[in-house]
Amino acid sequence: MSVRPNNFLKNLKYDLPSGLVVFLVALPLCLGIALASGAPLLSGLVSGIVGGLVVSMLSGSQLAVSGPAAGLTVIVLDGISEVGSFEVFLCAVILAGIIQLALGFLKAGVIGYYFPSSVIKGMLAAIGLILILKQIPHFLGIDQDFFGDIDFLQADGRNTFSEIIYAFENFGIGPLVIGMVSLGIIILWKQAFIKQSPILSVIPSALVVVIVGVILNQWFVSGIPALAISGDHLVQLPFISSFNDIQNELALPDFSQIMNVNVFRVAITIAIIASLETLLSIEAIDKLDPQKRRTPMNRELKAQGVGNIVAGLLGGLPMTAVIVRGTANITAGGKTKMSSFYHGLLLISSVLLIPGILNLIPLSALAAILLDVGYKLSKPALYKAQWKLGRMQFIPFLVTIVAILFTDLLIGISIGMIVGVYFILRANYKTPFLFNKEDKETHHHYTIHLSEHVSFLNKAHIASMLEDMPENAIVDIYGNNTRYLDYDVIEAIYEFREQAKHKNIKFSLINLPTEPGLDIEQKK
């Protein structure tokens, strides 16, 4: 869906500030993911720019933001090693984009609709908790892992929780002061008098946080050096002063190895993982959308495919729709896809025009912004709401959270899906029929009404129920409303019919096939 001119002007006051917030969040994430992937720093920014300028316009999502994803860092790192160089790896990125494009045309996006709501909500809550837990060390100016890391086990040998303990034992006062001031500004900006101000209400709190953070740190540098934040805890953009610098920083694909079987293997892996992560993120973002708009999943796969083709050609990392950036977009008030487009414009402008200024931004200030995003994703009210829905919803929700916290996004989702499917199967197993027992003086009369759909999953329950029938009983099984009856179930029923003769049970089938070979539609 394109953005109409009237909508463009109407939503400019929402989308531009939101695009700025997403830009501030995405900038260190793009750089950190590139660094962790063993790729050139500029490759992460290229993907962020392509995600903002290209994918946002092709996508049917109004609020999703695409770019390099933390969940792909290991795949990229291993992929570069497997094919021999980053230039050859870029061929795999291009091929992955072509595969995603094909998946979109084959309508594979329907997979996105099969994730249970409890698992998606668990993913959102887990991402919120991870943002909070992972930003605390950056907030304290200690963490050496890349900004945006979401895995439980870290490259520095610590894990999510041991890193927090280490950070509190070794925190920096300067980053802590800037972080606390930043949090104070974010809380202040939520107050009624700010929202009612015609001037302050249009200024994003994130922009104020960044400006104040830079000013405070520069004051520390000049007046209180002991509190000054070191360079490795500031944004670190590569300096681009000429076209030659771009050529030196950018890597371009080496097509001489495009037919290498390892390239195809890596491409297929990227396409599958990137598509799954995109579909999950889109489903989660749609649930957060205040207007409850639905994203066409097949169109999204096509958009991501084109994005990865373009990114690969320009020397960028593979990309997905990224839940952290999409959530930041929603919480900042974004209304249309233009907010993502603006974030892309700001990324490319920052690289070309003001890298020196942006390199003054403390990561502790940006960590404060993400702490706020994390809290909004994992509010206590969400847990209470899921609890009220009952254990069939709450247990998969909780398992998904724990699994993601202690593994990674895709493994955690997979575990949550298994638990969710178990509860679905368990419910299906328990409700294949309505059962009624009527006690007479001389016998027991049992009536069983089969449900509309009875599959092989119900065979064990039905067979065990029939085996428990007492001698001399009357058993009537009705199929009045049954539209599908699995052959395995029919077979179990006919096996019982033979057993019933030996127990003196009077057994009748009403509106069901009279012979095992007949279809349910031939029952009459």
Side-chain angles (χ1 to χ4, degrees):
M1 184 172 69
S2 60
V3 180
R4 297 176 182 176
N6 57 336
N7 285 338
F8 167 79
L9 294 174
K10 176 184 174 183
N11 294 306
L12 182 64
K13 63 180 180 180
Y14 303 109
D15 290 334
L16 187 56
S18 181
L20 176 62
V21 172
V22 177
F23 157 71
L24 292 171
V25 170
L27 179 65
L29 294 182
C30 289
L31 295 169
I33 291 167
L35 185 66
S37 301
L41 280 180
L42 204 57
S43 65
L45 291 169
V46 167
S47 292
I49 292 166
V50 172
L53 301 183
V54 178
V55 177
S56 65
M57 292 296 100
L58 297 176
S59 170
S61 174
Q62 296 297 314
L63 296 172
V65 182
S66 297
L72 294 177
T73 51
V74 174
I75 293 169
V76 174
L77 191 64
D78 292 344
I80 294 171
S81 175
E82 186 173 346
V83 301
S85 71
F86 183 68
E87 288 77 10
V88 176
F89 175 78
L90 292 174
C91 293
V93 177
I94 296 169
L95 290 173
I98 294 171
I99 294 170
Q100 285 184 295
L101 198 57
L103 289 173
F105 282 109
L106 292 171
K107 302 187 183 303
V110 69
I111 296 168
Y113 296 116
Y114 287 93
F115 294 104
S117 175
S118 58
V119 174
I120 296 298
K121 289 178 181 177
M123 180 186 77
L124 287 169
I127 291 293
L129 289 175
I130 287 172
L131 284 176
I132 293 170
L133 296 172
K134 288 289 188 180
Q135 295 314 309
I136 290 173
H138 289 294
F139 188 83
L140 299 174
I142 292 300
D143 204 343
Q144 295 297 322
D145 287 280
F146 73 96
F147 195 87
D149 177 27
I150 62 171
D151 290 340
F152 180 69
L153 298 176
Q154 301 179 170
D156 61 6
R158 289 186 282 271
N159 60 49
T160 301
F161 298 106
S162 63
E163 187 71 60
I164 293 174
I165 296 170
Y166 177 79
F168 274 107
E169 291 174 347
N170 301 276
F171 68 90
I173 297 177
L176 176 60
V177 170
I178 291 176
M180 294 299 292
V181 170
S182 299
L183 268 184
I185 291 170
I186 291 171
I187 294 169
L188 179 67
W189 239 248
K190 297 178 188 293
Q191 304 308 307
F193 76 92
I194 295 287
K195 293 180 179 180
Q196 293 167 4
S197 169
I199 297 175
L200 297 178
S201 62
V202 299
I203 303 174
S205 60
L207 179 61
V208 181
V209 163
V210 166
I211 292 172
V212 171
V214 169
I215 292 172
L216 270 176
N217 192 47
Q218 290 308 299
W219 176 48
F220 292 159
V221 169
S222 60
I224 318 175
L227 299 183
I229 298 176
S230 59
D232 55 347
H233 292 291
L234 302 173
V235 170
Q236 297 179 8
L237 267 177
F239 278 90
I240 304 293
S241 58
S242 67
F243 184 73
N244 287 335
D245 289 341
I246 296 177
Q247 287 182 310
N248 293 333
E249 290 285 345
L250 272 181
L252 297 177
D254 177 6
F255 290 107
S256 67
Q257 297 294 313
I258 196 167
M259 299 308 294
N260 186 324
V261 66
N262 290 333
V263 172
F264 277 90
R265 187 183 299 115
V266 173
I268 292 170
T269 303
I270 293 171
I272 293 172
I273 301 302
S275 297
L276 284 174
E277 190 158 336
T278 289
L279 294 175
L280 284 166
S281 297
I282 291 295
E283 185 69 16
I285 290 165
D286 283 352
K287 286 190 180 298
L288 292 174
D289 182 3
Q291 298 182 40
K292 301 304 177 187
R293 292 165 288 192
R294 296 293 296 174
T295 299
M297 294 296 194
N298 295 316
R299 179 174 170 180
E300 187 62 35
L301 285 178
K302 295 174 189 176
Q304 294 292 329
V306 172
N308 275 318
I309 292 170
V310 175
L313 289 170
L314 296 177
L317 293 174
M319 71 177 67
T320 72
V322 185
I323 185 63
V324 174
R325 279 164 247 187
T327 304
N329 188 20
I330 293 169
T331 57
K335 300 294 183 184
T336 74
K337 60 176 65 181
M338 288 306 298
S339 57
S340 178
F341 186 82
Y342 293 142
H343 120 275
L345 283 179
L346 289 168
L347 280 175
I348 193 170
S349 301
S350 66
V351 174
L352 298 176
L353 302 177
I354 53 170
I357 295 175
L358 294 174
N359 284 347
L360 300 175
I361 300 175
L363 291 182
S364 59
L366 298 178
I369 297 171
L370 286 178
L371 283 173
D372 182 50
V373 173
Y375 175 74
K376 289 176 179 176
L377 277 176
S378 200
K379 285 184 176 180
L382 174 63
Y383 296 83
K384 291 179 182 177
Q386 288 299 114
W387 174 260
K388 288 179 180 178
L389 291 175
R391 65 178 184 174
M392 281 186 63
Q393 292 294 315
F394 186 75
I395 292 177
F397 167 78
L398 190 62
V399 168
T400 302
I401 292 172
V402 174
I404 291 176
L405 281 177
F406 286 95
T407 57
D408 59 34
L409 184 63
L410 290 177
I411 293 176
I413 283 286
S414 300
I415 294 172
M417 282 288 291
I418 291 170
V419 174
V421 169
Y422 164 76
F423 276 98
I424 292 171
L425 295 180
R426 188 168 178 267
N428 189 268
Y429 170 83
K430 283 192 166 186
T431 58
F433 54 80
L434 292 175
F435 179 84
N436 183 57
K437 177 185 176 184
E438 187 177 353
D439 293 324
K440 305 284 187 178
E441 289 185 6
T442 57
H443 64 273
H444 301 291
H445 188 187
Y446 299 88
T447 55
I448 301 163
H449 292 267
L450 298 179
S451 60
E452 185 175 1
H453 186 285
V454 185
S455 74
F456 72 95
L457 297 171
N458 308 124
K459 177 182 176 180
H461 193 192
I462 290 174
S464 62
M465 179 267 300
L466 292 174
E467 286 176 5
D468 291 338
M469 293 294 174
E471 294 182 355
N472 305 313
I474 297 175
V475 178
D476 298 326
I477 301 182
Y478 291 83
N480 302 52
N481 300 316
T482 306
R483 294 292 174 264
Y484 174 78
L485 184 61
D486 195 282
Y487 179 78
D488 287 347
V489 178
I490 296 174
E491 192 175 51
I493 290 173
Y494 292 130
E495 287 175 357
F496 172 75
R497 184 167 62 179
E498 296 304 313
Q499 297 169 13
K501 296 174 183 177
H502 303 292
K503 297 173 71 173
N504 197 32
I505 293 175
K506 186 178 179 181
F507 183 70
S508 302
L509 297 177
I510 298 93
N511 282 333
L512 283 168
T514 55
E515 298 176 24
L518 292 180
D519 186 85
I520 188 68
E521 296 299 329
Q522 297 174 291
K523 61 190 178 185
K524 294 183 180 179

